[in-house]
Each structure stands twice: as structure tokens, then as C-alpha cells.
Amino acid sequence: MESDHPTHPLTGKVIVITGAARGQGAAEARALAQAGAKAIATDVRPEPDGDCRRLDVTSESDWTALAAELRETYGHVHGLVNNAGVIQRDRLGEVRPEDFADVHAVNATGPLLGIQHLAPLMPPGSAIVNVGSSAALTGYYPVAYTASKWALRGVSKIAAMELGPRGIRVNTVHPGYIETEMTAAATPAFREATIGETPLGRSGTVDDIAPLVVFLLSDASSFITGAEIPVDGGLTAHGGVKSISDAVRPGTPDTQTP
Ligand SMILES: NC(=O)c1ccc[n+]([C@@H]2O[C@H](COP(=O)([O-])OP(=O)(O)OC[C@H]3O[C@@H](n4cnc5c(N)ncnc54)[C@H](O)[C@@H]3O)[C@@H](O)[C@H]2O)c1
């Protein structure tokens, strides 16, 4: 069904975004509001002078309180963006079980709790967007992070199947290397190597992600559910072949045509 508001496709929709105090979540909250939504921005660390509501995605009681508030204020919720996430960079041999569990609590259990608590408030036509990662499509070496994002893929697939009959869609976006505070601490070697594996030859910005999230929450995507969409400049599409291709091609990659 086409929206009556082509430039404001989310008019009248109440949409919750987690991890929205900064980075991708803040950009998504802005984009959703610009598209006409009532965007409920939440974060475990809301800025003191910002308009984020406090919500720790790992806390069942926080979700219960939010759901009760939304039921009271609006009666329903039309969208959820499970964006909050944390990185933990230990490798296989060094990661501690407690850190592994903590990362899962935010990146996989958090979205699960969000779906469990808000889906009951969602009428047909609602949509959920989970924010995965290119790590969820590869064997990216920070093992706790990667395993948690693979777990989120599983949650997404099951949610799409379980909620589809109620008219609720569930899709996943997989960002590649995006310039936010999460990646600000990356070493130059990491940044250079990642961009070297990215066919479009650059890092992404928060504004590369937000328009897709708006689309997936809007009625324009009403037959799309269970989809996983990388927004990664082609990073995961070649399955690791780019560095091999570049290594064996005569001349520099920048000056060659296919
Ligand atoms: N930046 C990247 O390159 C990249 C790549 C792939 C995937 N992602 C994913 O994109 C999402 C957004 O990341 P970002 O780059 O904007 O990172 P960011 O660190 O800038 O923002 C993450 C936000 O999540 C919040 N948060 C952390 N724990 C929380 C909790 N328990 N409850 C509620 N909020 C919590 C933080 O306070 C922060 O505001 C994450 O899920 C991340 O894993 C990021």
C-alpha cells in the first residue's frame, strides 16, 4: 500500500530506536522524525541535554516500563529499530566468558527483549529493523561481537517467521565500516585494510544507513520481510576475494578497468 505522504512516509507512526544518543541511532532518529514519525529515541547513556529517554536494552524492567508508557500514551507502536550495540575486540584465545556473555546481552538479548515487549503493541503493518553487522556475514575475528551478531541474525529470521502472520515485518541491515564513535578508536592499519577490502573504496557514514531504515519501516517495503541487506560498500559481497584479485592484477587497482 502506497503512503498518502510520499515525502513523509512514516507520518502517524510511533517508532522506538535504541542506542539513539549518538552515531547511527541518532541519525536514524533524526531521519525517522523527518519522515514524519513520532520517533522515541532511547539509550542507556542519554545525553543530559538531549531528548533521549533512558533505556538499557539488557534490562527487562526497562522494556516493561517503556511498553507500559507507550501503551498509556499512544495505545500502540508501529516500529522498532534495534540499533544499540557494543563492540568487544578480544580474539578467540583471549576472550573471557563473562565478556562474551555481556556482549551477547546487549547485541542479541537486547533486541530479543525489545521484540518480546513491543510486538504485542504492534498493529498489522508494523515493522522491526535489526542492526546487524558485516561481522554477521563473515568470520570477523573479534569473536564475542561476531558471535553476538550471528545470534541476532537467528533472532531476526525467527521473528520474521513468527510475526509475519500478524502483519509485522522484520528485516536486518548489516552495516560495514561506518564512521562513528564505535570505529573512532580503530587503528590506521585496521581502517586502511578494511577500506582496501571495500570495492567502493571508502568508509560509510551514518547517512548511508538511515534512509534504508526509513524505507524498511515504511509501507513502501510492505512485502519485504526476513531480508538481510548489507550497507557496506561491497565489503562482504566478494567473500574475501578482493585482496587476492588485487594482489594478482598487474598495475594498481585504482588504474585498472575490469
Ligand atoms: N560503526 C560501525 O562501523 C558498525 C559496523 C557494523 C555494525 N554496527 C552496529 O551499528 C549499531 C550502531 O553502532 P554505532 O556505530 O552507532 O556505535 P556507537 O557506539 O556510536 O553507538 C552505540 C549506541 O548504543 C548505546 N548502547 C550501548 N549499550 C547499550 C545498552 N545496553 N542499552 C541501550 N543502549 C546502549 C550506546 O550508548 C551508544 O549510544 C550497533 O549495533 C553496531 O554494532 C556498527
Side-chain angles (χ1 to χ4, degrees):
M1 190 181 73
E2 285 298 312
S3 164
D4 294 338
H5 305 272
T7 57
H8 296 93
L10 301 180
T11 297
K13 292 186 190 280
V14 177
I15 300 175
V16 173
I17 311 109
T18 67
R22 68 184 199 193
Q24 294 176 55
E28 286 153 8
R30 285 194 298 274
L32 296 178
Q34 277 165 13
K38 174 65 192 169
I40 313 288
T42 67
D43 202 286
V44 70
R45 282 183 293 276
E47 298 292 327
D49 52 354
D51 49 13
C52 257
R53 182 194 186 288
R54 192 184 177 283
L55 175 104
D56 178 350
V57 297
T58 69
S59 162
E60 281 214 70
S61 58
D62 279 11
W63 281 112
T64 303
L66 178 67
E69 200 179 298
L70 294 172
R71 182 181 278 110
E72 173 77 19
T73 310
Y74 304 103
H76 41 228
V77 179
H78 305 96
L80 167 65
V81 186
N82 279 314
N83 164 79
V86 290
I87 182 82
Q88 207 279 353
R89 294 191 167 86
D90 288 346
R91 289 183 181 240
L92 185 70
E94 64 207 21
V95 70
R96 300 181 311 161
E98 52 269 41
D99 292 331
F100 193 84
D102 286 351
V103 174
H104 272 69
V106 179
N107 294 357
T109 311
L112 173 72
L113 290 173
I115 293 168
Q116 287 178 331
H117 285 80
L118 297 194
L121 293 177
M122 291 183 174
S126 299
I128 295 167
V129 176
N130 292 327
V131 179
S133 170
S134 51
L137 301 171
T138 63
Y140 184 51
Y141 53 88
V143 61
Y145 183 75
T146 296
S148 72
K149 292 293 189 177
W150 279 84
L152 177 57
R153 286 183 74 191
V155 171
S156 303
K157 286 180 183 296
I158 293 162
M161 183 180 66
E162 298 266 22
L163 299 177
R166 289 182 43 204
I168 302 171
R169 298 178 296 104
V170 184
N171 292 293
T172 306
V173 302
H174 292 300
Y177 185 112
I178 309 297
E179 303 284 357
T180 66
E181 286 187 46
M182 183 176 279
T183 46
T187 63
F190 173 86
R191 190 169 190 281
E192 192 182 325
T194 305
I195 292 174
E197 290 291 338
T198 302
L200 290 184
R202 67 168 176 89
S203 56
T205 73
V206 296
D207 296 321
D208 289 315
I209 308 291
L212 175 61
V213 172
V214 169
F215 171 71
L216 290 172
L217 291 165
S218 77
D219 296 342
S221 59
S222 63
F223 201 49
I224 302 177
T225 195
E228 302 188 64
I229 306 178
V231 187
D232 64 359
L235 174 68
T236 55
H238 58 76
V241 172
K242 184 173 183 299
S243 57
I244 302 168
S245 167
D246 291 347
V248 298
R249 179 186 293 157
T252 63
D254 289 343
T255 59
Q256 298 296 306
T257 50

